[in-house]
Amino acid sequence: MKATQNGSRGRPDFLLLILTLLLLGFGLVMVFSASSSVAKVSFDDSLYFIKRQFMWAGLGTLIMLFMMNMRYQVYKKAFMLLFIPVIIMLILVPFVSESINGARSWFGIGSLGIQPTEPAKLALILYLGALISKKEEKFRDFKKGLMPVIVIVGFICALIMMQPDLGSCLVIATCAAIMILAGGANLKHLFLAGSALALLAAAVIGIWMAANPEGWQYRIDRFTAFTDPLADAQGTGWQMVSSLQALGHGGITGAGFGESVQKLHYLKYAYNDFIFSIIGEEFGFIGSSIFLLFYLLFLWRGLIVALRCPDQYGTIVGVGIVGLIATQAFINIGGVTKAIPMTGVTLPFISYGGSSLLVCLMCMGVLLSVSRESNKADNKSSNTANNSRTTAATKRTSSL
């Protein structure tokens, strides 16, 4: 109570912090389970992938705690320190990186790799949050409010499509749309702008496919595998068929932890894009459902924290972070279960990948920082209400 009266910050949301750490821990366990056999054959070290993931998890947790203890208003003023380097990396990566599965998305630094698209997600959230909250009521005006935001998002998406990385582009565009809605944009303007951008994107993709058939053939094969994976079960449909077989093998109760068959060199990237298939195989329908409910609780708590924030910037940034994680999880799980076409997006906190995990934990650091201001506001309101009740009781006693 004294801390609140002195103007210090509130405590971080304990439930959100615990849920984040539990998701992180479960992700490490599943990366070990899904990658140990591949790591043993490829690197003669069954712990190869989990050691690297553990390193990124430790680093990310330290950064999350550091960012949690900074006032989130700092990011409103200093977002350019992240945004400008990210733009430079996005411009350079298609020209200096090696092609992997038809995409040039990685900077190689020794045995490590950095994917600029991942920090671009957080940088764009901080940028849009600052821009939208600064415009306030002007944001409902198309030319002065919505148009600059659309130009920025379109520019980032265009840079990402140069790699090309359709999955990340969809994630960023969806996240931006959620933030625009949270900022109070005119729905009519948003619909017209979205329609125009969709037509423009279709035209650009068509031209890019004609100019770069090698890079797009991999994505066309993925879409073909989605429509009818059994048509080429030994080729383009192999991954989807193996993923569905893993889920089917899990049944109701699962094969048991560590007992997955598909991870034994049948399902490629079982520790990365397809890790949810391994969760389904080892823990079954019941275990997968519990995991999804847990994930939904995590997202719900994050959204509550964002909506409780006393200022618009914190709310928009918080909603953007929750929207980013939710969108990415939906695309990943929808892809591996054949609900939607597979786009190669990781499952936040669970899939193997240092860049993705690090950025997810940085995002949670920002959101937990927002929660401290939200809790401060709640404590202040509670103290005000208590003081009012005490004053009223004192007056009644005096009158008696």
Side-chain angles (χ1 to χ4, degrees), residues 185-203:
N186 187 300
L187 293 180
K188 180 181 179 181
H189 292 165
L190 184 60
F191 175 77
L192 293 176
S195 301
L197 285 175
L199 293 174
L200 179 62

Side-chain angles (χ1 to χ4, degrees), residues 105-120:
S105 306
W106 294 84
F107 282 115
I109 303 177
S111 60
L112 302 177
I114 297 177
Q115 190 175 14
T117 304
E118 295 299 331

Side-chain angles (χ1 to χ4, degrees), residues 75-206:
Y75 308 122
K76 186 176 182 179
K77 301 177 181 178
F79 64 87
M80 280 296 182
L81 296 177
L82 177 62
F83 190 78
I84 292 177
V86 162
I87 294 297
I88 295 173
M89 288 192 292
L90 287 176
I91 293 173
L92 293 177
V93 72
F95 304 102
V96 301
S97 63
E98 296 183 1
S99 178
I100 301 175
N101 292 329
R104 299 178 179 272
S105 306
W106 294 84
F107 282 115
I109 303 177
S111 60
L112 302 177
I114 297 177
Q115 190 175 14
T117 304
E118 295 299 331
K121 297 171 183 176
L122 177 57
L124 186 61
I125 288 174
L126 297 178
Y127 191 1
L128 292 186
L131 186 60
I132 294 173
S133 61
K134 182 179 179 180
K135 291 183 178 296
E136 296 181 344
E137 290 300 321
K138 293 181 180 179
F139 186 59
R140 294 186 62 83
D141 181 81
F142 183 76
K143 291 183 179 180
K144 297 181 180 179
L146 186 59
M147 180 59 73
V149 173
I150 291 177
V151 170
I152 293 168
V153 176
F155 177 64
I156 296 295
C157 289
L159 291 178
I160 293 174
M161 290 307 295
M162 288 176 63
Q163 302 174 14
D165 186 350
L166 180 60
S168 294
C169 187
L170 289 174
V171 170
I172 285 179
T174 304
C175 176
I178 292 171
M179 294 183 70
I180 290 171
L181 286 173
N186 187 300
L187 293 180
K188 180 181 179 181
H189 292 165
L190 184 60
F191 175 77
L192 293 176
S195 301
L197 285 175
L199 293 174
L200 179 62
V204 171
I205 289 174

Side-chain angles (χ1 to χ4, degrees), residues 113-351:
I114 297 177
Q115 190 175 14
T117 304
E118 295 299 331
K121 297 171 183 176
L122 177 57
L124 186 61
I125 288 174
L126 297 178
Y127 191 1
L128 292 186
L131 186 60
I132 294 173
S133 61
K134 182 179 179 180
K135 291 183 178 296
E136 296 181 344
E137 290 300 321
K138 293 181 180 179
F139 186 59
R140 294 186 62 83
D141 181 81
F142 183 76
K143 291 183 179 180
K144 297 181 180 179
L146 186 59
M147 180 59 73
V149 173
I150 291 177
V151 170
I152 293 168
V153 176
F155 177 64
I156 296 295
C157 289
L159 291 178
I160 293 174
M161 290 307 295
M162 288 176 63
Q163 302 174 14
D165 186 350
L166 180 60
S168 294
C169 187
L170 289 174
V171 170
I172 285 179
T174 304
C175 176
I178 292 171
M179 294 183 70
I180 290 171
L181 286 173
N186 187 300
L187 293 180
K188 180 181 179 181
H189 292 165
L190 184 60
F191 175 77
L192 293 176
S195 301
L197 285 175
L199 293 174
L200 179 62
V204 171
I205 289 174
I207 296 172
W208 192 267
M209 288 175 65
N212 187 24
E214 179 185 353
W216 280 98
Q217 187 59 47
Y218 177 74
R219 285 148 187 83
I220 293 173
D221 291 342
R222 276 191 165 186
F223 183 77
T224 303
F226 165 73
T227 56
D228 187 9
L230 294 177
D232 186 14
Q234 298 298 317
T236 58
W238 175 267
Q239 280 291 91
M240 184 54 65
V241 171
S242 298
S243 176
L244 296 177
Q245 286 179 339
L247 294 171
H249 180 223
I252 300 297
T253 58
F257 176 69
E259 298 300 321
S260 167
V261 174
Q262 293 301 318
K263 70 182 181 183
L264 302 176
H265 311 283
Y266 293 104
L267 182 62
K268 291 183 179 180
Y269 310 115
Y271 50 87
N272 194 346
D273 296 354
F274 289 86
I275 198 165
F276 183 74
S277 301
I278 305 303
I279 293 174
E281 185 176 10
E282 296 190 348
F283 297 103
F285 176 78
I286 295 176
S288 300
S289 298
I290 293 173
F291 168 73
L292 291 176
L293 289 173
F294 188 86
Y295 216 104
L296 288 173
L297 174 62
F298 164 76
L299 295 172
W300 170 81
R301 190 61 189 177
L303 184 60
I304 292 297
V305 164
L307 296 178
R308 285 179 177 174
C309 185
D311 76 326
Q312 188 185 29
Y313 174 71
T315 296
I316 294 174
V317 168
V319 169
I321 289 172
V322 175
L324 171 69
I325 297 173
T327 300
Q328 197 161 319
F330 172 79
I331 292 177
N332 175 273
I333 295 173
V336 302
T337 57
K338 200 178 172 294
I340 59 176
M342 189 68 194
T343 57
V345 172
T346 57
L347 181 58
F349 301 103
I350 308 300
S351 295

